Amino acid sequence: TLAERTNLAGVRHILLVLSGKGGVGKSTLSTELALALQNAGKRVGILDVDLCGPSIPRMLKVQDSAVHQCDSGWVPVFVGQDKAIALMSIGFLLERPDEAVVWRGPKKNALIKQFVTDVAWGDLDFLIVDTPPGTSDEHISTVEALRPYQLLGAILVTTPQ
Amino acid sequence: SSSSGDEALRDKRARILSRGLPKQKPIEGVKQVVVVASGKGGVGKSTTAVNIALALAANDSTKEVGLLDADIYGPSIPKMMNLKGNPELTPKNLMRPLKNYGIACMSMGFLIEETAPVVWRGLMVMSAVEKLLRQVDWGQLDYLVIDMPPGTGDVQLSVSQNIPIAGAVIVSTPQDVALLDAHKGAEMFRKVHVPVLGLVQNMSVFQCPKCKHETHIFGSDGVRDLAKTLGLDILGDVPLHVNIRETCDSGQPVVIS
């Protein structure tokens, strides 16, 4: 089947972290959730699809890492104490950490599709997907690209304001 | 010489590439446009935009001020300005902005139900932004303050390519991840040739209402350092104060309450 021959074949559950509103703590929560799951013995990956404001590399102190290619595609950066959490973010593809990604929808969609299908995630219990604020191209493309796989569900983060 | 040949080639390339872009044209009747942006979400763009608009009007009662909410996905201006309802149409088929506290406002929030999500791709957003800019009967405005959404994408590009912008105000909290995005925001404006007026450091410090102890919840002075790095002015330093949030939530922004 298509699922068997892809980079997401070894991923058991996929979790989207959404909010609508910006600045409520999606990236923070995604990171802490990944670390907590890893602590509980699970194999975890994080996919950061916030192309304009990728925060996760900085939160895990790997903003200076680079990604490499292998036969199946991109190799994620391994983070955390045991270097066991797989992370992919546009942050690793920028020339400088403060380089601005000023892209329109179609270009964003193309990269998100690649992030979903061309990263060699390996065997994961959970893949946590951190999204940007809003309900736009990134969100539509991510859900569409992940639809053939086991999309576990979404967690909504908000503040009381 | 080869260098002038290169330059001619670059000019030609730029002209060809820009053919598909919208022509930049001022909005009739609007003297100056100020955009409030950040890159990062949730740092206080809408709060700042609303209070800037009100302050401009309060400082000089002869000035007419408008407020455009360009955050298509999460329009906050209707709630903050205590405005509701669908805009009327003028005989020329333009939308009449809704007014409160003397400020003419337009927002996606007036065109959709409060809880209806706008799940649109960039192309539709471009078209919506154009309508909110040009199909509104703004009248004669001295200032149009535009509240931008977070990010550095379609909306920011559409607005800066569509109309001349007098300047951009970048809002950030002192937190590292916010500063990272603010830096990107500043670079974005540089890319599209919009002058950055300066930075606003928001949520800089919290003072305990009981014991008056001050805590820098989001770090201290991060925005000042970024301003120095970018050679920009600090336009303002706003503390994290429960009054600001309360007055925004209740539709009576702090500048006028």
Side-chain angles (χ1 to χ4, degrees), chain B residues 2 22 25 30 69-70 77-78 91 112 118 122 137 162 175 179 182 195 215 254:
Chain B
S2 72
K25 204 177 61 154
V30 175
D69 185 0
I77 305 265
I112 53 167
V118 173
D137 184 20
N162 230 303
Q175 187 187 10
L179 294 171
T215 310
V254 72

Coordinates of all heavy atoms in Angstrom, one line a residue, chain B residues 2 22 25 30 69-70 77-78 91 112 118 122 137 162 175 179 182 195 215 254:
Chain B
S2 N 31.0 45.4 -18.8 CA 30.2 44.3 -18.4 C 29.3 44.6 -17.2 O 28.2 44.1 -17.0 CB 31.1 43.1 -18.1 OG 31.8 43.3 -16.9
P22 N 0.5 43.4 -8.3 CA -0.5 44.5 -8.3 C 0.3 45.9 -8.4 O 1.3 46.0 -7.8 CB -1.3 44.4 -7.0 CG -0.4 43.5 -6.1 CD 0.4 42.7 -7.0
K25 N -0.9 51.6 -5.4 CA -1.7 52.8 -5.6 C -2.2 53.3 -4.3 O -2.7 52.5 -3.5 CB -2.8 52.5 -6.6 CG -3.4 53.7 -7.3 CD -4.5 53.3 -8.3 CE -5.7 52.7 -7.6 NZ -6.9 52.8 -8.4
V30 N -6.8 58.8 1.7 CA -6.0 58.5 2.9 C -4.7 59.1 2.8 O -3.9 58.8 1.8 CB -5.9 56.9 3.0 CG1 -5.0 56.5 4.1 CG2 -7.3 56.3 3.2
D69 N -8.4 46.3 10.2 CA -8.1 45.0 10.8 C -7.7 44.0 9.6 O -8.6 43.5 9.0 CB -9.2 44.5 11.6 CG -8.9 43.2 12.3 OD1 -7.8 42.7 12.2 OD2 -9.8 42.7 13.0
A70 N -6.5 43.9 9.3 CA -6.1 43.0 8.2 C -5.9 41.5 8.6 O -5.4 40.7 7.9 CB -4.8 43.5 7.5
I77 N -10.3 43.4 16.2 CA -10.7 44.8 16.3 C -12.2 44.9 16.7 O -12.5 45.8 17.5 CB -10.4 45.5 15.0 CG1 -8.9 45.4 14.7 CG2 -10.8 47.0 15.1 CD1 -8.0 46.5 15.2
P78 N -13.1 44.2 16.1 CA -14.5 44.3 16.5 C -14.7 44.3 18.0 O -15.3 45.1 18.6 CB -15.2 43.2 15.7 CG -14.4 43.0 14.5 CD -13.0 43.2 15.0
P91 N -24.0 54.3 -2.1 CA -24.6 54.2 -3.5 C -23.5 53.7 -4.5 O -23.8 53.1 -5.5 CB -25.0 55.6 -3.8 CG -25.3 56.2 -2.4 CD -24.3 55.5 -1.5
I112 N -18.2 38.3 8.8 CA -18.5 36.9 9.1 C -19.0 36.8 10.5 O -18.9 37.7 11.3 CB -17.3 36.0 8.9 CG1 -16.1 36.6 9.8 CG2 -16.8 35.8 7.5 CD1 -15.0 35.7 10.0
V118 N -12.1 31.3 9.2 CA -11.8 31.6 7.8 C -10.7 30.7 7.4 O -9.5 30.9 7.7 CB -11.4 33.1 7.7 CG1 -10.9 33.4 6.3 CG2 -12.6 34.0 8.0
G122 N -4.0 31.3 0.5 CA -3.5 32.6 0.3 C -4.1 33.4 -0.8 O -4.4 34.6 -0.7
D137 N -15.5 52.9 2.0 CA -15.6 54.3 1.8 C -14.9 55.0 3.0 O -15.6 55.4 4.0 CB -17.1 54.6 1.8 CG -17.4 56.1 1.6 OD1 -16.5 56.8 1.1 OD2 -18.5 56.6 1.9
N162 N 0.2 46.6 -2.5 CA -1.0 47.2 -3.0 C -1.0 48.7 -2.7 O -1.4 49.5 -3.6 CB -2.2 46.6 -2.2 CG -3.3 46.2 -3.2 OD1 -3.8 47.1 -4.0 ND2 -3.7 45.0 -3.1
Q175 N 10.6 38.3 25.0 CA 11.0 36.9 24.9 C 11.8 36.5 23.7 O 11.5 37.0 22.6 CB 9.7 36.1 25.0 CG 9.9 34.6 25.1 CD 8.6 33.8 25.0 OE1 7.6 34.4 24.6 NE2 8.6 32.6 25.2
L179 N 11.4 37.8 19.8 CA 12.4 38.7 19.2 C 12.8 38.1 17.8 O 13.1 38.8 16.9 CB 13.6 38.8 20.1 CG 13.3 39.6 21.4 CD1 14.5 39.5 22.3 CD2 12.9 41.0 21.1
A182 N 10.3 38.9 15.5 CA 10.3 40.4 15.2 C 11.4 40.8 14.3 O 11.2 41.6 13.4 CB 10.4 41.2 16.5
P195 N 9.5 51.5 5.3 CA 10.3 52.0 6.4 C 9.8 51.6 7.7 O 8.6 51.6 8.0 CB 10.2 53.6 6.3 CG 9.1 53.8 5.4 CD 8.8 52.6 4.6
T215 N 8.2 41.6 38.2 CA 8.8 40.4 37.6 C 8.8 40.6 36.0 O 7.8 41.1 35.4 CB 7.9 39.2 37.8 OG1 7.6 39.1 39.2 CG2 8.6 37.9 37.4
V254 N -7.8 50.9 26.7 CA -7.2 51.6 27.9 C -6.9 53.1 27.6 O -7.1 53.9 28.5 CB -5.9 50.9 28.3 CG1 -4.8 51.1 27.4 CG2 -5.6 51.2 29.7

